[in-house]
mmCIF file of all heavy atoms in Angstrom:
data_model
loop_
_atom_site.group_PDB
_atom_site.id
_atom_site.type_symbol
_atom_site.label_atom_id
_atom_site.label_comp_id
_atom_site.label_asym_id
_atom_site.label_seq_id
_atom_site.Cartn_x
_atom_site.Cartn_y
_atom_site.Cartn_z
ATOM 1 N N ARG C 282 31.889 3.240 13.665
ATOM 2 C CA ARG C 282 31.506 1.872 13.326
ATOM 3 C C ARG C 282 31.527 1.613 11.815
ATOM 4 O O ARG C 282 31.062 0.578 11.360
ATOM 5 C CB ARG C 282 30.128 1.524 13.917
ATOM 6 C CG ARG C 282 28.978 2.291 13.331
ATOM 7 C CD ARG C 282 27.697 2.066 14.157
ATOM 8 N NE ARG C 282 26.615 2.874 13.638
ATOM 9 C CZ ARG C 282 25.483 2.392 13.134
ATOM 10 N NH1 ARG C 282 25.254 1.105 13.106
ATOM 11 N NH2 ARG C 282 24.566 3.202 12.668
ATOM 12 N N GLU C 399 13.905 4.521 -17.372
ATOM 13 C CA GLU C 399 12.640 3.882 -17.021
ATOM 14 C C GLU C 399 11.409 4.776 -17.194
ATOM 15 O O GLU C 399 10.299 4.270 -17.347
ATOM 16 C CB GLU C 399 12.684 3.373 -15.575
ATOM 17 C CG GLU C 399 13.547 2.144 -15.423
ATOM 18 C CD GLU C 399 13.304 1.447 -14.092
ATOM 19 O OE1 GLU C 399 12.194 1.558 -13.539
ATOM 20 O OE2 GLU C 399 14.230 0.778 -13.611
ATOM 21 N N GLY C 507 6.582 6.979 -17.662
ATOM 22 C CA GLY C 507 6.312 6.428 -16.340
ATOM 23 C C GLY C 507 6.547 7.436 -15.238
ATOM 24 O O GLY C 507 6.885 8.601 -15.490
ATOM 25 N N MET C 508 6.314 6.993 -14.022
ATOM 26 C CA MET C 508 6.509 7.840 -12.848
ATOM 27 C C MET C 508 7.240 7.021 -11.795
ATOM 28 O O MET C 508 7.061 5.805 -11.700
ATOM 29 C CB MET C 508 5.153 8.300 -12.300
ATOM 30 C CG MET C 508 5.272 9.113 -11.015
ATOM 31 S SD MET C 508 3.704 9.902 -10.477
ATOM 32 C CE MET C 508 2.694 8.460 -10.103
ATOM 33 N N ILE C 510 8.107 7.161 -7.530
ATOM 34 C CA ILE C 510 7.902 7.838 -6.257
ATOM 35 C C ILE C 510 8.804 7.191 -5.209
ATOM 36 O O ILE C 510 8.735 5.987 -4.993
ATOM 37 C CB ILE C 510 6.425 7.767 -5.798
ATOM 38 C CG1 ILE C 510 5.532 8.578 -6.742
ATOM 39 C CG2 ILE C 510 6.280 8.281 -4.368
ATOM 40 C CD1 ILE C 510 4.064 8.600 -6.352
ATOM 41 N N ASP C 512 8.978 7.029 -1.594
ATOM 42 C CA ASP C 512 7.959 7.338 -0.583
ATOM 43 C C ASP C 512 8.542 7.298 0.830
ATOM 44 O O ASP C 512 9.687 6.921 1.027
ATOM 45 C CB ASP C 512 6.825 6.314 -0.705
ATOM 46 C CG ASP C 512 5.467 6.946 -0.458
ATOM 47 O OD1 ASP C 512 5.373 7.901 0.336
ATOM 48 O OD2 ASP C 512 4.495 6.480 -1.072
ATOM 49 N N ARG C 514 9.095 6.062 4.711
ATOM 50 C CA ARG C 514 9.424 4.736 5.242
ATOM 51 C C ARG C 514 8.957 4.669 6.695
ATOM 52 O O ARG C 514 9.185 5.580 7.474
ATOM 53 C CB ARG C 514 10.930 4.532 5.169
ATOM 54 C CG ARG C 514 11.361 3.128 5.488
ATOM 55 C CD ARG C 514 12.708 2.871 4.842
ATOM 56 N NE ARG C 514 13.284 1.596 5.192
ATOM 57 C CZ ARG C 514 13.017 0.459 4.558
ATOM 58 N NH1 ARG C 514 12.155 0.437 3.583
ATOM 59 N NH2 ARG C 514 13.605 -0.681 4.922
ATOM 60 N N LYS C 515 8.309 3.575 7.017
ATOM 61 C CA LYS C 515 7.837 3.373 8.386
ATOM 62 C C LYS C 515 8.894 2.606 9.189
ATOM 63 O O LYS C 515 9.701 1.894 8.615
ATOM 64 C CB LYS C 515 6.528 2.587 8.351
ATOM 65 C CG LYS C 515 5.356 3.439 7.897
ATOM 66 C CD LYS C 515 4.151 2.621 7.515
ATOM 67 C CE LYS C 515 4.393 1.995 6.170
ATOM 68 N NZ LYS C 515 3.203 1.457 5.509
ATOM 69 N N GLU C 518 6.678 -2.795 9.507
ATOM 70 C CA GLU C 518 5.548 -2.970 8.588
ATOM 71 C C GLU C 518 4.295 -3.548 9.257
ATOM 72 O O GLU C 518 3.540 -4.284 8.632
ATOM 73 C CB GLU C 518 5.977 -3.835 7.409
ATOM 74 C CG GLU C 518 7.186 -3.298 6.653
ATOM 75 C CD GLU C 518 6.978 -1.888 6.124
ATOM 76 O OE1 GLU C 518 5.863 -1.559 5.683
ATOM 77 O OE2 GLU C 518 7.949 -1.089 6.171
ATOM 78 N N ARG C 520 0.606 -3.467 10.225
ATOM 79 C CA ARG C 520 -0.587 -2.751 9.791
ATOM 80 C C ARG C 520 -1.775 -3.213 10.629
ATOM 81 O O ARG C 520 -1.912 -4.383 10.927
ATOM 82 C CB ARG C 520 -0.841 -3.010 8.306
ATOM 83 C CG ARG C 520 0.290 -2.453 7.443
ATOM 84 C CD ARG C 520 -0.027 -2.573 5.960
ATOM 85 N NE ARG C 520 -0.152 -3.952 5.585
ATOM 86 C CZ ARG C 520 -0.897 -4.391 4.569
ATOM 87 N NH1 ARG C 520 -1.576 -3.524 3.840
ATOM 88 N NH2 ARG C 520 -0.941 -5.661 4.266
ATOM 89 N N ARG C 521 -2.611 -2.258 10.991
ATOM 90 C CA ARG C 521 -3.735 -2.528 11.872
ATOM 91 C C ARG C 521 -5.060 -2.466 11.110
ATOM 92 O O ARG C 521 -5.252 -1.583 10.279
ATOM 93 C CB ARG C 521 -3.767 -1.503 12.999
ATOM 94 C CG ARG C 521 -2.618 -1.630 13.982
ATOM 95 C CD ARG C 521 -2.425 -0.351 14.766
ATOM 96 N NE ARG C 521 -1.834 -0.582 16.064
ATOM 97 C CZ ARG C 521 -0.530 -0.514 16.323
ATOM 98 N NH1 ARG C 521 0.309 -0.205 15.361
ATOM 99 N NH2 ARG C 521 -0.063 -0.730 17.539
ATOM 100 N N PHE C 522 -5.970 -3.352 11.445
ATOM 101 C CA PHE C 522 -7.281 -3.430 10.804
ATOM 102 C C PHE C 522 -8.353 -3.452 11.896
ATOM 103 O O PHE C 522 -8.387 -4.402 12.688
ATOM 104 C CB PHE C 522 -7.392 -4.722 9.990
ATOM 105 C CG PHE C 522 -6.356 -4.874 8.912
ATOM 106 C CD1 PHE C 522 -5.027 -5.096 9.228
ATOM 107 C CD2 PHE C 522 -6.717 -4.797 7.568
ATOM 108 C CE1 PHE C 522 -4.060 -5.241 8.238
ATOM 109 C CE2 PHE C 522 -5.757 -4.943 6.567
ATOM 110 C CZ PHE C 522 -4.429 -5.162 6.909
ATOM 111 N N ARG D 836 29.933 -4.292 17.152
ATOM 112 C CA ARG D 836 29.452 -2.898 17.075
ATOM 113 C C ARG D 836 28.285 -2.633 18.018
ATOM 114 O O ARG D 836 27.648 -1.584 17.936
ATOM 115 C CB ARG D 836 29.099 -2.524 15.625
ATOM 116 C CG ARG D 836 27.942 -3.290 15.048
ATOM 117 C CD ARG D 836 27.834 -3.020 13.539
ATOM 118 N NE ARG D 836 26.739 -3.798 12.988
ATOM 119 C CZ ARG D 836 25.655 -3.279 12.411
ATOM 120 N NH1 ARG D 836 25.527 -1.975 12.288
ATOM 121 N NH2 ARG D 836 24.705 -4.054 11.947
ATOM 122 N N GLU D 953 -5.670 -4.710 21.539
ATOM 123 C CA GLU D 953 -6.135 -4.021 20.325
ATOM 124 C C GLU D 953 -7.032 -4.872 19.439
ATOM 125 O O GLU D 953 -7.811 -4.335 18.656
ATOM 126 C CB GLU D 953 -4.932 -3.535 19.501
ATOM 127 C CG GLU D 953 -4.259 -2.337 20.117
ATOM 128 C CD GLU D 953 -3.319 -1.649 19.124
ATOM 129 O OE1 GLU D 953 -3.554 -1.737 17.906
ATOM 130 O OE2 GLU D 953 -2.361 -1.025 19.586
ATOM 131 N N GLY D 1061 -10.382 -6.934 15.821
ATOM 132 C CA GLY D 1061 -9.468 -6.399 14.821
ATOM 133 C C GLY D 1061 -8.472 -7.427 14.332
ATOM 134 O O GLY D 1061 -8.496 -8.596 14.739
ATOM 135 N N MET D 1062 -7.632 -6.991 13.431
ATOM 136 C CA MET D 1062 -6.603 -7.860 12.861
ATOM 137 C C MET D 1062 -5.294 -7.080 12.821
ATOM 138 O O MET D 1062 -5.281 -5.868 12.647
ATOM 139 C CB MET D 1062 -6.983 -8.286 11.443
ATOM 140 C CG MET D 1062 -5.906 -9.107 10.743
ATOM 141 S SD MET D 1062 -6.442 -9.866 9.172
ATOM 142 C CE MET D 1062 -6.719 -8.411 8.157
ATOM 143 N N ILE D 1064 -1.376 -7.300 10.947
ATOM 144 C CA ILE D 1064 -0.501 -7.987 10.011
ATOM 145 C C ILE D 1064 0.897 -7.386 10.108
ATOM 146 O O ILE D 1064 1.062 -6.180 9.941
ATOM 147 C CB ILE D 1064 -1.025 -7.877 8.554
ATOM 148 C CG1 ILE D 1064 -2.343 -8.644 8.401
ATOM 149 C CG2 ILE D 1064 0.021 -8.410 7.572
ATOM 150 C CD1 ILE D 1064 -2.910 -8.643 6.982
ATOM 151 N N ASP D 1066 3.889 -7.276 8.067
ATOM 152 C CA ASP D 1066 4.082 -7.566 6.638
ATOM 153 C C ASP D 1066 5.560 -7.568 6.248
ATOM 154 O O ASP D 1066 6.418 -7.233 7.055
ATOM 155 C CB ASP D 1066 3.330 -6.501 5.827
ATOM 156 C CG ASP D 1066 2.688 -7.098 4.579
ATOM 157 O OD1 ASP D 1066 3.251 -8.040 4.007
ATOM 158 O OD2 ASP D 1066 1.621 -6.605 4.189
ATOM 159 N N ASN D 1067 5.829 -7.918 5.020
ATOM 160 C CA ASN D 1067 7.191 -7.911 4.509
ATOM 161 C C ASN D 1067 7.731 -6.493 4.385
ATOM 162 O O ASN D 1067 6.969 -5.540 4.261
ATOM 163 C CB ASN D 1067 7.242 -8.593 3.146
ATOM 164 C CG ASN D 1067 7.126 -10.093 3.271
ATOM 165 O OD1 ASN D 1067 7.844 -10.707 4.042
ATOM 166 N ND2 ASN D 1067 6.205 -10.694 2.531
ATOM 167 N N ARG D 1068 9.044 -6.380 4.390
ATOM 168 C CA ARG D 1068 9.695 -5.078 4.338
ATOM 169 C C ARG D 1068 10.576 -5.022 3.098
ATOM 170 O O ARG D 1068 11.306 -5.947 2.801
ATOM 171 C CB ARG D 1068 10.551 -4.910 5.593
ATOM 172 C CG ARG D 1068 11.109 -3.519 5.772
ATOM 173 C CD ARG D 1068 11.406 -3.295 7.239
ATOM 174 N NE ARG D 1068 12.074 -2.042 7.509
ATOM 175 C CZ ARG D 1068 11.456 -0.876 7.689
ATOM 176 N NH1 ARG D 1068 10.150 -0.819 7.598
ATOM 177 N NH2 ARG D 1068 12.122 0.224 7.949
ATOM 178 N N LYS D 1069 10.473 -3.910 2.401
ATOM 179 C CA LYS D 1069 11.288 -3.715 1.207
ATOM 180 C C LYS D 1069 12.592 -3.010 1.581
ATOM 181 O O LYS D 1069 12.643 -2.320 2.588
ATOM 182 C CB LYS D 1069 10.502 -2.887 0.203
ATOM 183 C CG LYS D 1069 9.415 -3.694 -0.480
ATOM 184 C CD LYS D 1069 8.407 -2.826 -1.198
ATOM 185 C CE LYS D 1069 7.480 -2.182 -0.202
ATOM 186 N NZ LYS D 1069 6.263 -1.614 -0.739
ATOM 187 N N GLU D 1072 11.665 2.454 -0.291
ATOM 188 C CA GLU D 1072 10.269 2.675 -0.636
ATOM 189 C C GLU D 1072 10.071 3.273 -2.036
ATOM 190 O O GLU D 1072 9.128 4.043 -2.258
ATOM 191 C CB GLU D 1072 9.592 3.549 0.421
ATOM 192 C CG GLU D 1072 9.695 2.988 1.836
ATOM 193 C CD GLU D 1072 9.128 1.584 1.962
ATOM 194 O OE1 GLU D 1072 8.091 1.300 1.337
ATOM 195 O OE2 GLU D 1072 9.731 0.756 2.698
ATOM 196 N N ARG D 1074 8.614 3.277 -5.562
ATOM 197 C CA ARG D 1074 7.526 2.603 -6.260
ATOM 198 C C ARG D 1074 7.485 3.089 -7.702
ATOM 199 O O ARG D 1074 7.674 4.262 -7.984
ATOM 200 C CB ARG D 1074 6.194 2.891 -5.560
ATOM 201 C CG ARG D 1074 6.174 2.317 -4.146
ATOM 202 C CD ARG D 1074 4.824 2.475 -3.492
ATOM 203 N NE ARG D 1074 4.470 3.869 -3.373
ATOM 204 C CZ ARG D 1074 3.227 4.333 -3.331
ATOM 205 N NH1 ARG D 1074 2.211 3.493 -3.429
ATOM 206 N NH2 ARG D 1074 2.992 5.612 -3.194
ATOM 207 N N ARG D 1075 7.251 2.151 -8.610
ATOM 208 C CA ARG D 1075 7.280 2.445 -10.039
ATOM 209 C C ARG D 1075 5.871 2.431 -10.633
ATOM 210 O O ARG D 1075 5.058 1.571 -10.293
ATOM 211 C CB ARG D 1075 8.128 1.404 -10.753
ATOM 212 C CG ARG D 1075 9.612 1.489 -10.438
ATOM 213 C CD ARG D 1075 10.311 0.203 -10.762
ATOM 214 N NE ARG D 1075 11.713 0.386 -11.081
ATOM 215 C CZ ARG D 1075 12.700 0.270 -10.189
ATOM 216 N NH1 ARG D 1075 12.438 -0.041 -8.950
ATOM 217 N NH2 ARG D 1075 13.958 0.467 -10.557
ATOM 218 N N PHE D 1076 5.617 3.353 -11.554
ATOM 219 C CA PHE D 1076 4.318 3.472 -12.209
ATOM 220 C C PHE D 1076 4.544 3.508 -13.720
ATOM 221 O O PHE D 1076 5.186 4.436 -14.218
ATOM 222 C CB PHE D 1076 3.636 4.775 -11.789
ATOM 223 C CG PHE D 1076 3.410 4.920 -10.307
ATOM 224 C CD1 PHE D 1076 4.467 5.100 -9.433
ATOM 225 C CD2 PHE D 1076 2.117 4.871 -9.782
ATOM 226 C CE1 PHE D 1076 4.261 5.234 -8.070
ATOM 227 C CE2 PHE D 1076 1.901 5.006 -8.422
ATOM 228 C CZ PHE D 1076 2.971 5.188 -7.559
#
Side-chain angles (χ1 to χ4, degrees):
Chain C
R282 66 190 176 118
E399 287 195 28
M508 176 171 65
I510 293 182
D512 217 328
R514 189 156 174 86
K515 285 165 284 195
E518 304 303 322
R520 296 186 297 153
R521 292 160 153 94
F522 301 70
Chain D
R836 65 190 178 118
E953 286 195 28
M1062 176 170 66
I1064 293 182
D1066 217 327
N1067 285 309
R1068 189 156 174 86
K1069 285 165 284 196
E1072 304 303 321
R1074 296 186 299 153
R1075 291 160 153 94
F1076 301 69

